[in-house]
């Protein structure tokens, strides 16, 4: 599992500048991506949604996830051919266009949907390229911390827009909000265009030279990477199930009022914000033992799944505590593991590995309709959790043990 011979600086100073630039662009994306949920009433009123309004409203989120998945598929080849700087600039341009189209949509819901499709392209391109850039710039001793910091891009963006959007919209209207996000997107894209650069060979622990997919394929077929992909897919399925149904469960299953349910739900959903803490812990663990952090995260996920959707007080608090721990630990440790596994294959192998991780993330999130159907049939009960959630968490846990390197790699 060695990446490249020693002699590389600990962490290049400019790596932190790159992280700041990429992180700024990254957090503006979920500000636009998640601008609709806190403004559902405003959108219903502005766009005259009636009848199957909630189904129509759901498309605003689904379209982003679907196009992000498609963009993630092509992001690897594009970055390998054009470079990460170009891909990130294109992601920024898509975000700018998505914001501007939404701001100019007036009361036309079809135009608003089109804006979400374009925004989703930016989300998918950035998710792959940003994580690859950070993996290239940061050596193994600080990579988990850096990637964990970047991995907070969605919860940070969500917190900003969930708390700021209602204030802006109540004062100036919904379209002004999208113009503000558009302005931030322009600034973020310009920063990438002016200050971004790829690391020099002497600055990178992993070779920055690109190669063909064929030459990278032997590294991508690694047993460890496949196991990591299964664990990551399972985590995203289980965690997105919690994110999607928590607030409804807290209200209908636990009898909480809407404000308390939303507060606890937001805390669980934004648990990834504490991921840098676990990233720092991972950076202090021997590289051949880092996989144990993923095992621990999957154990937390399985416990949360096993006690989920039960209205007993003890079960409820175990559910909250362990889903927060599982979420934050796995967000902090899974992505950094990919470049560690395939690092000997250089920049191309790392980019394709992280593209695969991103694709699996969106696939896991898209499968959340499965527990939704089980909840419709059985309600919020232990039976629901054990049927639709816990088995997937168990598979993720089993897969996590296979991330351990072979003895000859230790």
């Amino acid at each position: 599992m060695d990446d490249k011979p020693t002699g590389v600086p600990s962490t290049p100073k400019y790596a932190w500048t790159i992280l700041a630039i990429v992180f700024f662009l990254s957090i503006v994306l979920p500000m636009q991506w998640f601008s609709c949920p806190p403004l559902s009433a405003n959108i219903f009123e502005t766009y005259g949604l009636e009848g199957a309004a909630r189904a129509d409203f759901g498309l605003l989120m689904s379209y982003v996830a679907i196009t992000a998945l498609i963009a993630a598929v092509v992001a690897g080849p594009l970055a390998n051919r054009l470079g990460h700087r170009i891909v990130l600039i294109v992601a920024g341009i898509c975000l700018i266009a998505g914001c501007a189209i939404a701001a100019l949509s007036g009361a036309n819901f079809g135009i608003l949907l089109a804006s979400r499709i374009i925004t989703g392209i930016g989300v998918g391109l950035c998710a792959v390229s940003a994580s690859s850039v950070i993996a290239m710039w940061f050596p193994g001793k600080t990579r988990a911390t850096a990637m964990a910091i970047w991995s907070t891009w969605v919860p940070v963006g969500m917190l900003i827009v969930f708390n700021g959007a209602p204030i802006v919209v109540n004062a100036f209207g919904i379209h002004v909000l999208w113009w503000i996000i558009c302005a931030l997107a322009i600034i973020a894209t310009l920063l990438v265009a002016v200050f971004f650069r790829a690391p020099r060979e002497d600055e990178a622990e992993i070779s920055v030279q690109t190669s063909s997919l064929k030459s990278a394929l032997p590294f991508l077929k690694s047993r460890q990477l496949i196991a990591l992909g299964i664990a990551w897919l399972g985590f995203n399925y289980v965690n997105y199930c919690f994110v999607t149904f928590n607030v409804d469960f807290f209200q209908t299953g636990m009898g909480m009022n809407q404000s308390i349910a939303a507060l606890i739900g937001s805390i669980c959903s934004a648990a990834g914000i504490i991921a840098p803490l676990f990233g720092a812990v991972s950076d202090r663990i021997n590289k051949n033992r880092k996989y144990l952090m993923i095992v621990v995260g999957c154990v937390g996920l399985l416990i949360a799944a096993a006690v989920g959707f039960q209205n007993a007080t003890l079960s409820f608090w175990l559910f909250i505590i362990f889903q927060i721990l599982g979420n934050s630990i796995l967000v902090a440790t899974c992505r950094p593991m990919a470049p560690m596994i395939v690092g000997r294959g250089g920049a191309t192998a790392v980019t394709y590995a992280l593209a695969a991780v991103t694709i699996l993330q969106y696939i896991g999130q898209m499968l959340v309709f499965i527990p939704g159907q089980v909840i419709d049939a059985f309600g919020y009960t232990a039976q629901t959790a054990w049927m639709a959630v816990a088995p997937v968490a168990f598979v993720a846990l089993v897969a996590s043990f296979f991330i351990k390197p072979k003895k000859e790699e230790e």
Side-chain angles (χ1 to χ4, degrees):
M1 287 176 58
D2 294 333
D3 294 328
K4 205 174 75 168
T6 58
V8 178
S10 295
T11 301
K13 291 182 179 179
Y14 203 69
W16 297 104
T17 301
I18 293 295
L19 175 59
I21 293 168
V22 171
F23 185 66
F24 182 34
L25 173 62
S26 298
I27 64 172
V28 180
L29 278 156
M31 288 174 63
Q32 178 65 5
W33 179 3
F34 291 96
S35 63
C36 292
L39 303 175
S40 57
N42 305 83
I43 291 174
F44 274 56
E45 180 181 357
T46 301
Y47 294 91
L49 300 183
E50 298 177 357
R54 284 169 177 76
D56 290 337
F57 184 78
L59 293 176
L60 294 174
M61 298 301 289
S62 296
Y63 277 21
V64 176
I66 292 170
T67 53
L69 171 62
I70 296 171
V73 172
V74 302
L78 285 176
N80 199 45
R81 179 177 292 273
L82 303 176
H84 290 292
R85 177 175 177 271
I86 297 299
V87 174
L88 288 171
I89 290 173
V90 172
I93 292 172
C94 289
L95 174 59
I96 294 167
C99 293
I101 292 171
L104 294 169
S105 62
N108 191 312
F109 187 69
I111 295 177
L112 182 61
L113 284 176
S115 77
R116 305 292 288 175
I117 292 173
I118 297 172
T119 297
I121 296 172
V123 169
L125 292 177
C126 183
V128 172
S129 199
S131 58
S132 300
V133 164
I134 295 167
M136 297 301 299
W137 268 99
F138 286 84
K141 63 192 304 182
T142 55
R143 186 180 297 139
T145 298
M147 293 191 76
I149 291 171
W150 173 79
S151 294
T152 66
W153 64 297
V154 172
V156 169
M158 286 175 64
L159 285 175
I160 293 172
V161 77
F162 268 62
N163 290 281
I167 298 173
V168 173
V169 171
N170 289 335
F172 304 105
I174 194 169
H175 299 97
V176 172
L177 171 69
W178 289 324
W179 280 126
I180 292 174
I181 300 175
C182 184
L184 293 173
I186 291 172
I187 295 171
T189 305
L190 287 174
L191 287 174
V192 171
V194 174
F195 294 104
F196 181 89
R197 69 173 176 84
R200 298 187 302 269
E201 193 70 34
D202 64 333
E203 293 177 307
E205 187 178 76
I206 298 171
S207 175
V208 301
Q209 299 298 318
T210 59
S211 58
S212 66
L213 174 59
K214 183 178 180 180
S215 63
L217 199 57
F219 300 95
L220 299 175
K221 293 191 295 184
S222 161
R223 176 263 302 167
Q224 290 175 266
L225 186 62
I226 294 171
L228 176 65
I230 294 171
W232 181 247
L233 174 66
F235 159 65
N236 278 280
Y237 168 88
V238 173
N239 189 59
Y240 209 62
C241 173
F242 296 156
V243 170
T244 302
F245 297 108
N246 267 351
V247 175
D248 187 47
F249 163 61
F250 297 157
Q251 293 181 84
T252 61
M254 298 296 297
M256 297 180 185
N257 64 48
Q258 185 178 20
S259 59
I260 296 298
L263 174 62
I264 298 176
S266 67
I267 292 172
C268 295
S269 299
I273 285 181
I274 63 174
L277 171 64
F278 294 105
V281 172
S282 179
D283 280 335
R284 285 160 176 75
I285 297 176
N286 180 282
K287 69 177 183 178
N288 296 313
R289 301 290 179 266
K290 291 182 187 292
Y291 80 98
L292 292 174
M293 288 283 289
I294 300 177
V295 173
V296 172
C298 287
V299 169
L301 196 70
L302 179 58
I303 293 174
V307 300
F309 302 149
Q310 302 177 42
N311 59 12
T313 301
L314 177 61
S315 297
F316 171 75
W317 285 112
L318 289 174
F319 176 58
I320 298 298
I321 291 168
F322 281 100
Q323 69 171 285
I324 289 175
L325 286 175
N327 181 335
S328 52
I329 292 174
L330 292 171
V331 165
T333 56
C334 283
R335 275 196 178 92
M337 184 61 67
M340 179 178 294
I341 293 171
V342 304
R344 287 176 297 174
T348 299
V350 169
T351 298
Y352 276 103
L354 288 169
V357 165
T358 304
I359 291 166
L360 291 171
Q361 173 181 335
Y362 293 128
I363 291 175
Q365 293 174 354
M366 288 171 61
L367 293 175
V368 76
F369 70 90
I370 296 174
Q373 291 179 333
V374 178
I375 290 169
D376 285 341
F378 298 97
Y380 289 113
T381 64
Q383 184 179 9
T384 296
W386 296 340
M387 288 177 59
V389 188
V392 178
F394 178 75
V395 171
L397 175 59
V398 172
S400 69
F401 286 98
F402 289 89
I403 303 173
K404 180 181 180 180
K406 297 177 181 177
K407 287 187 176 181
E408 59 267 26
E409 294 175 321
E410 295 185 0

